[in-house]
Each structure stands twice: as structure tokens, then as C-alpha cells.
Amino acid sequence: MENQKKVSAISDVGAWGMNIVSSVGIIMANKQLMSNGGYGFSFATTLTGFHFAVTALVGLVSNATGYSASKHVPIWELLWFSLVANTSITAMNLSLMLNSVGFYQISKLSMIPVVCVMEWILHSKHYSREVKMSVMVVVVGVGVCTVTDVKVNLKGFVCACIAVISTSLQQISIGSLQKKYSIGSFELLSKTAPIQAVSLLVFGPFVDYYLSGKLITNYKVSSGVIFFILLSCSLAVFCNVSQYLCIGRFSAVSFQVLGHMKTVCVLTLGWLLFDSELTVKNIMGMVIAVAGMVIYSWAVEREKHANVKTHSHANVKTHSHAKHSLTEEEIRLLQEGIEKNPLEDVELAEAKS
């Protein structure tokens, strides 16, 4: 039992580690690929289509070689999930284009309370006071270190709302689909990735043209661009797999809260690798955010132990009541036996006489 817990804990840490490393890595690779100081490849939606195409290819090879098994999930569920996921990607890109960086960061922070509310509505999930407080600490910390100027316009606000709702729904759906159909994270990803890849590669260039005013067919490809696209796609496979793993193992709220560790890592690496400014305000925000994550982890563990104790106590009470009922039944049967035995003796006596 102890060994199983240790293996599970190591697997959990591995999933989080893979997600953080691959997410931060892909951000750094995309920064070099898409920035004006890099290769100026400003086609984010099409690039995401490449990511899912490579992920779908890996899933296909894995199924063909027997490393993973394909389980049945209704096609309408896969189409619905892919629609939500692609809406999330497109709306996020539009939100980043139409809004200031400050408002974009606030919209991303709002996903934590939105996920909490949606899980409460859809799954009747409740959170302890400690969990709610730790979530607020994380939100404040990340807000302090990332939010700068905040400018709002109607189009940007609508896109931000759609992005937050669709992203939150997507993350909740990953966990619910895995539980509903008893399907592994990679198996689910290998089923949804082809649908997302095809739709993003078909519609992505049009979305990118609207966002940047440039056609991907006019872009001059170099060996450096190809290298960073392949690197980005490789990291995307690990990022997508680890995201499904994390949400399958934990919850969408946990994924959002601990996922802000990536923000702290990105800010730190940006300062180390790209000479980004790191102010006292950023450092204070990071410290608050990390403290909130530690408190959140403690609160979740405390909640788990409390639930285990409650279930154990309930099981003991149930067992006690069951034993008490069984004893009463035994007494009743004994009484009936005592009452029946004299009657049988009388009948026998009369027969003998």
C-alpha cells in the first residue's frame, strides 16, 4: 500500500514536471520563432494546427505499434470537445491581439474562479475555505507580477469572455471524458488531436490573416524556421500529453492553480535568457504566488485527509448498524424457534397418545 502511494506520488510529480518543462520550453521556442527579433513567424493558429498534426501522428504510431489501445468514445463527444478546444485557441489569440497585455493577463487569472463555479454547477463540487483562500492568494500574486496597463474595449472584452469560458469548459471536459469512458489521457488525446489538426490547418491561415494581415503562403521559410517549428511541435506533444495527464489525475482547478508556476518560470527565464526586466514588483508577486501554491497544496491534502476520515467513520457506523441489525434478527429467529418447539412437542405427544 505504501509502495503504491509512493509510485502514485512520483507519477504525479512527473506529470507536473513534464507539463511545466514542456510548457515553458514551448513558450521560449515560440518566442524565438514568432518575435520580430527572431524569425517573425506570426501564424499562431496555424502553428497550433501543426502541433496537433504531430500529436495525432504520434498517437497513430502508438496505436499501430500496440503501445496504446484505442477505446470507443462517441464521435459527437469528440466533435463537441474539439469545437470547444479550437474556440479556446482562436479566442485566446484574438484576445491577445485586441486587448492590452494587462487585461489579457487578468482574463487568464479569472479562469480559476470560473473553473470553480463551472465545476460547482456541472458536478456539484464544493471547496473548503482554505482552498478558496489559497486560490485568492495565487490570483493576487500572479496579478501583481504580470498585470501592467489595463485597457478594455468591447470586441476585446467579448473575445476574452469567450476564451475564458471555452478554456475552462475544455479543461473540465478532459477530466469528465476520461472518467466517463474510462479512457487514458493519451488515448483521449490521440482521438481528439486529428479533428483539431484538420480544422485548425483549414481555418487557421484565415484566422492568422485576420490577426496579422499576412498570408502564410507569402512567408519565406528558412532552415532555422523549420528547426524551431519542429522543436515547438515536439514540445507540444509533451505539453498536450502532460496536460491531459494532469487534469485526469487531479482537477481543472488544481491544473490552473499550480499551472501558474509556469508564469513564474517564464518570467524568470525571460529575465535570464532574453534580458527582460525583472522589477521588485515582479519578485514580490512571484513570492506571493508561490506561497499561495504551497498553501493550496496543503489545503487540498488537508481536505483529502478529512474526506478519508469521514468515509472511514461512516463505514464504521454502517458496519456497527449492520451488526446490530443482524443481532436483532438472530434474537427474533431464536424467539420464533423457542415458540415453535413447544407446539411441535405437543403435536408429537398427541400423536403418540
Side-chain angles (χ1 to χ4, degrees):
M1 189 68 178
E2 287 296 324
N3 289 335
Q4 287 180 348
K5 286 182 179 179
K6 286 180 182 178
V7 171
S8 178
I10 291 169
S11 300
D12 293 347
V13 172
W16 280 120
M18 186 196 298
N19 185 254
I20 291 172
V21 171
S22 58
S23 297
V24 174
I26 200 172
I27 289 170
M28 295 295 120
N30 288 353
K31 186 177 177 67
Q32 181 63 28
L33 180 64
M34 303 178 75
S35 65
N36 292 327
Y39 293 97
F41 186 86
S42 56
F43 309 101
T45 311
T46 306
L47 180 62
T48 308
F50 293 155
H51 291 169
F52 280 107
V54 173
T55 304
L57 181 62
V58 171
L60 186 66
V61 171
S62 179
N63 287 337
T65 54
Y67 282 103
S68 60
S70 180
K71 291 187 178 180
H72 174 70
V73 179
I75 187 65
W76 68 268
E77 292 260 37
L78 297 176
L79 290 172
W80 161 250
F81 176 82
S82 299
L83 176 64
V84 171
N86 288 350
T87 301
S88 165
I89 293 164
T90 306
M92 276 292 184
N93 288 337
L94 287 169
S95 176
L96 184 58
M97 182 192 77
L98 296 171
N99 295 311
S100 66
V101 175
F103 186 75
Y104 176 74
Q105 290 294 343
I106 285 177
S107 68
K108 286 182 72 176
L109 288 173
S110 67
M111 284 181 199
I112 297 178
V114 168
V115 167
C116 289
V117 171
M118 290 181 77
E119 285 201 322
W120 172 62
I121 293 170
L122 297 174
H123 300 141
S124 302
K125 192 169 183 178
H126 296 278
Y127 301 93
S128 66
R129 185 179 59 184
E130 290 82 4
V131 169
K132 292 175 186 174
M133 287 176 63
S134 63
V135 165
M136 289 304 299
V137 173
V138 172
V139 169
V140 169
V142 177
V144 167
C145 65
T146 58
V147 175
T148 52
D149 60 313
V150 179
K151 295 176 184 175
V152 186
N153 60 79
L154 183 59
K155 283 185 180 179
F157 179 76
V158 171
C159 286
C161 289
I162 294 171
V164 168
I165 292 170
S166 58
T167 304
S168 302
L169 186 58
Q170 177 207 4
Q171 292 179 356
I172 291 171
S173 299
I174 290 172
S176 61
L177 282 174
Q178 285 185 243
K179 290 174 184 174
K180 185 176 180 181
Y181 296 103
S182 301
I183 188 169
S185 54
F186 186 75
E187 286 78 14
L188 178 61
L189 179 60
S190 64
K191 284 185 171 295
T192 57
I195 302 171
Q196 289 183 255
V198 170
S199 54
L200 287 171
L201 290 175
V202 169
F203 297 107
F206 299 101
V207 175
D208 290 330
Y209 178 73
Y210 174 74
L211 292 172
S212 64
K214 299 175 184 176
L215 285 170
I216 192 170
T217 51
N218 295 334
Y219 182 80
K220 292 182 179 179
V221 180
S222 65
S223 57
V225 171
I226 293 171
F227 171 78
F228 275 98
I229 287 176
L230 291 175
L231 177 62
S232 180
C233 289
S234 301
L235 289 167
V237 173
F238 290 102
C239 187
N240 287 330
V241 170
S242 60
Q243 178 181 347
Y244 279 60
L245 273 173
C246 287
I247 296 176
R249 288 172 176 271
F250 307 103
S251 68
V253 176
S254 297
F255 181 75
Q256 278 291 330
V257 170
L258 297 180
H260 282 300
M261 180 63 76
K262 292 179 282 190
T263 305
V264 175
C265 293
V266 168
L267 286 171
T268 306
L269 286 174
W271 172 62
L272 291 172
L273 301 177
F274 297 100
D275 297 325
S276 299
E277 187 181 4
L278 193 65
T279 63
V280 175
K281 177 173 166 283
N282 294 141
I283 296 169
M284 282 180 60
M286 288 181 194
V287 171
I288 294 170
V290 171
M293 291 170 201
V294 171
I295 296 168
Y296 177 82
S297 301
W298 167 80
V300 169
E301 282 300 315
R302 188 171 179 271
E303 200 170 49
K304 281 182 184 176
H305 287 303
N307 288 337
V308 168
K309 284 183 180 178
T310 303
H311 286 310
S312 299
H313 184 63
N315 288 338
V316 168
K317 284 184 73 176
T318 305
H319 180 71
S320 176
H321 285 314
K323 183 65 182 171
H324 183 62
S325 300
L326 183 62
T327 305
E328 288 179 344
E329 182 69 14
E330 289 171 348
I331 291 170
R332 187 181 64 78
L333 289 171
L334 284 170
Q335 286 177 339
E336 286 179 0
I338 292 168
E339 289 171 357
K340 286 178 181 178
N341 282 339
L343 290 174
E344 289 171 359
D345 290 342
V346 169
E347 288 173 357
L348 284 171
E350 286 179 352
K352 285 178 184 177
S353 62

